[in-house]
């Protein structure tokens, strides 16, 4: 398996793994990461995918480094054999299983942003909100603890703060109309310029 194929298979494995984990197991794994991920960042991690992404950023998880992931699964998921098998199949290069994971990653709704077309809307907000960002994010319902934590972790990168805050918010509005909520929040902050941009997408 080539480097690119292995990385694709790794991403597919992570998606498949995340789809199997419960909220309770996510909570246990987050607790096990207390010495690695700051409290405020941990509190903002709403899904297993978000947790795994945070571990990647801290060099605790990659296609070539799965030991800590296996520790989390063994300890936080009560040694569930089915989730451990997903990782072990990837490590062994089981092509049939890996290809199955890739197909499942393409078929399942792994992230509502991909389905709802929010990616372009989020990009508009990240590029243009600027100093109005925190007012708009609060209008959307992102709480101050999350915002304070993100500002502390990314003090010089407002775009990253906006991006992560929106990802956190997105997971709380899966069954709502997120585009409508965003437009309403922008109107309340008199950002009709961005309302027009979003409506044109």
């Amino acid at each position: 398996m080539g480097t690119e194929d292995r990385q694709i298979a790794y991403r597919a494995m992570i998606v498949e793994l995340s789809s199997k984990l419960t909220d309770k197991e996510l909570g246990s794994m987050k607790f096990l990461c207390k010495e690695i991920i700051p409290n405020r960042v941990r509190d903002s991690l709403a899904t297993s995918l978000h947790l795994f992404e945070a571990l990647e950023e801290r060099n605790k998880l990659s296609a070539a480094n799965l030991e800590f992931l296996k520790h989390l699964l063994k300890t936080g998921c009560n040694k569930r054999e089915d989730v451990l098998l997903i990782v072990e199949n990837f490590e062994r290069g089981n092509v049939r299983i890996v290809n199955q994971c890739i197909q499942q990653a393409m078929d399942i709704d792994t992230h509502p942003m991909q389905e709802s077309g929010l990616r372009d809307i989020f990009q508009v907000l990240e590029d243009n909100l600027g100093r109005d960002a925190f007012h708009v994010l609060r209008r959307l319902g992102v709480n101050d603890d999350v915002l304070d934590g993100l500002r502390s972790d990314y003090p010089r990168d407002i775009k990253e703060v906006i991006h992560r805050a929106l990802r956190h918010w997105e997971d709380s509005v899966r069954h709502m109309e997120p585009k409508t909520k965003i437009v309403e929040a922008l109107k309340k902050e008199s950002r009709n310029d961005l309302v027009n941009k979003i409506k044109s997408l």
Side-chain angles (χ1 to χ4, degrees):
M1 189 184 299
T3 302
E4 183 177 344
D5 288 341
R6 183 171 177 79
Q7 191 62 24
I8 292 172
Y10 163 72
R11 293 293 175 203
M13 181 269 290
I14 290 295
V15 168
E16 170 67 5
L17 185 61
S18 298
S19 72
K20 304 291 186 183
L21 299 174
T22 67
D23 289 342
K24 181 179 179 180
E25 289 166 341
L26 171 60
S28 297
M29 291 191 296
K30 285 166 64 175
F31 177 80
L32 293 169
C33 294
K34 286 188 73 171
E35 281 67 43
I36 298 169
I37 305 173
N39 288 343
R40 288 176 175 173
V41 177
R42 283 204 329 276
D43 290 343
S44 72
L45 303 175
T47 69
S48 300
L49 285 177
H50 292 170
L51 174 61
F52 296 150
E53 184 178 32
L55 290 173
E56 287 177 341
E57 292 172 353
R58 290 160 176 81
N59 298 317
K60 297 296 292 184
L61 175 62
S62 70
N65 181 16
L66 299 170
E67 290 308 309
F68 188 69
L69 173 62
K70 289 190 289 184
H71 165 69
L72 289 181
L73 296 176
K74 289 176 182 177
T75 309
C77 302
N78 198 28
K79 298 181 181 180
R80 276 180 56 189
E81 292 185 2
D82 58 327
V83 292
L84 287 169
L85 185 61
I86 293 171
V87 180
E88 290 170 359
N89 276 321
F90 170 78
E91 287 184 306
R92 294 169 184 160
N94 188 322
V95 176
R96 181 181 65 81
I97 297 296
V98 165
N99 286 339
Q100 184 181 49
C101 287
I102 292 173
Q103 186 59 49
Q104 288 172 337
M106 294 171 63
D107 291 342
I108 65 175
D109 177 15
T110 61
H111 208 279
M113 181 164 62
Q114 297 171 353
E115 287 291 318
S116 61
L118 284 178
R119 187 180 302 277
D120 291 339
I121 295 175
F122 282 10
Q123 192 64 56
V124 168
L125 298 179
E126 290 165 27
D127 291 342
N128 297 279
L129 270 180
R131 63 183 182 182
D132 293 326
F134 298 106
H135 297 296
V136 173
L137 291 167
R138 289 189 183 96
R139 295 270 188 195
L140 289 174
V142 181
N143 67 51
D144 284 335
D145 286 341
V146 171
L147 293 176
D148 289 344
L150 292 173
R151 277 190 289 194
S152 175
D153 288 319
Y154 307 98
R156 299 181 181 178
D157 193 347
I158 185 63
K159 287 188 177 182
E160 186 66 17
V161 170
I162 296 170
H163 172 73
R164 290 180 177 275
L166 288 171
R167 286 278 300 274
H168 174 80
W169 170 77
E170 179 191 6
D171 284 303
S172 70
V173 294
R174 290 175 184 269
H175 305 297
M176 301 181 189
E177 292 292 336
K179 183 175 181 178
T180 300
K181 296 289 184 184
I182 290 170
V183 168
E184 289 175 354
L186 289 170
K187 285 181 177 179
K188 289 176 180 177
E189 293 299 325
S190 300
R191 291 303 305 265
N192 292 320
D193 57 321
L194 297 187
V195 170
N196 293 332
K197 283 186 178 183
I198 289 173
K199 285 185 175 180
S200 68
L201 294 174

